[in-house]
Amino acid sequence: MPNTYMRPSFIVAAFLAVAGCSASPETGQTDVQTVPSQIELRKALQTYFDAHPECTPFFDIPAEARMEQGSYRIRQLDAFVAAGVLQRTGEIMKPHQVTGVPEQYARYISTPLGEHSLRPSETNSARTQICYGKRKVISVTSGGLDENFPDRLSVKYDYQLIDVPAWTSSRAIIEFYPGLGKRLTGATESDGEDLMRVNGSWTLPKQTAFGSFDFTQEGH
């Protein structure tokens, strides 16, 4: 009769293999690696997005623009004045950087409405950024954990941009940035991120910025 006796250690190893677990060679303790639930994944993403709205670089405030005929920058800043984000406080004289000849500049500051959308840049507090909504996660999907990087998980998610401020739909802004309306329709978009497990919890590491619309550039 063949010997059917199996050593206990072999039985444990086989069980762990089926369960998707591994035993630490140093401690002998079982290390269970499980993919987080969709609820956990949505919470990890939404927690980050609630604290980090969709923002993009903006003009440093107070902003100044040289007054000259057909000035593009003046028209650009005046669009935000018409939208209620900025207000023009008057003109100042500044010497030309090369010739020293005095030149006239228009000066702009933020309005109370603008204060709700303007904030210091996260990468440089001396610079200004403008925020125009936040991501609301609709659904999340993920693959399995990589045994070589068990504390990192790539996810794909669908989201909608919500809490979009009213100034983004003002006539002056839409005319100057005709492509903006197409990005703020509330339609469902898709994106992907890498989550990290820190102290047992899944989180989204700090990102530089999610905003893809640069208001400081020429009209999109």
Side-chain angles (χ1 to χ4, degrees), residues 44-55 119 122 129 131-136 161 204-211:
L45 290 170
Q46 197 61 60
T47 297
Y48 184 90
F49 296 146
D50 286 345
H52 299 82
E54 197 95 350
C55 303
R119 60 167 57 185
E122 293 186 359
Q129 61 181 3
C131 304
Y132 52 93
K134 73 175 182 180
R135 297 188 179 195
K136 178 183 179 182
L161 200 62
L204 179 61
K206 184 176 181 179
Q207 307 293 306
T208 302
F210 285 102

Side-chain angles (χ1 to χ4, degrees), residues 173-194:
I173 295 296
I174 293 300
E175 289 181 350
F176 203 91
Y177 301 98
L180 179 62
K182 299 177 182 179
R183 304 191 184 194
L184 304 180
T185 61
T188 299
E189 304 284 347
S190 299
D191 208 343
E193 305 294 343
D194 284 338

Side-chain angles (χ1 to χ4, degrees), residues 81-142:
V81 172
V85 176
L86 300 177
Q87 67 180 35
R88 192 164 168 174
T89 60
E91 292 78 37
I92 60 174
M93 301 299 294
K94 297 177 63 176
H96 189 277
Q97 293 182 347
V98 177
T99 65
V101 176
E103 296 180 310
Q104 193 171 23
Y105 282 74
R107 195 168 190 268
Y108 300 81
I109 62 174
S110 61
T111 64
L113 174 65
E115 291 294 336
H116 290 289
S117 296
L118 299 176
R119 60 167 57 185
S121 169
E122 293 186 359
T123 57
N124 184 350
S125 60
R127 308 306 299 268
T128 302
Q129 61 181 3
I130 189 167
C131 304
Y132 52 93
K134 73 175 182 180
R135 297 188 179 195
K136 178 183 179 182
V137 180
I138 305 300
S139 62
V140 189
T141 59
S142 69

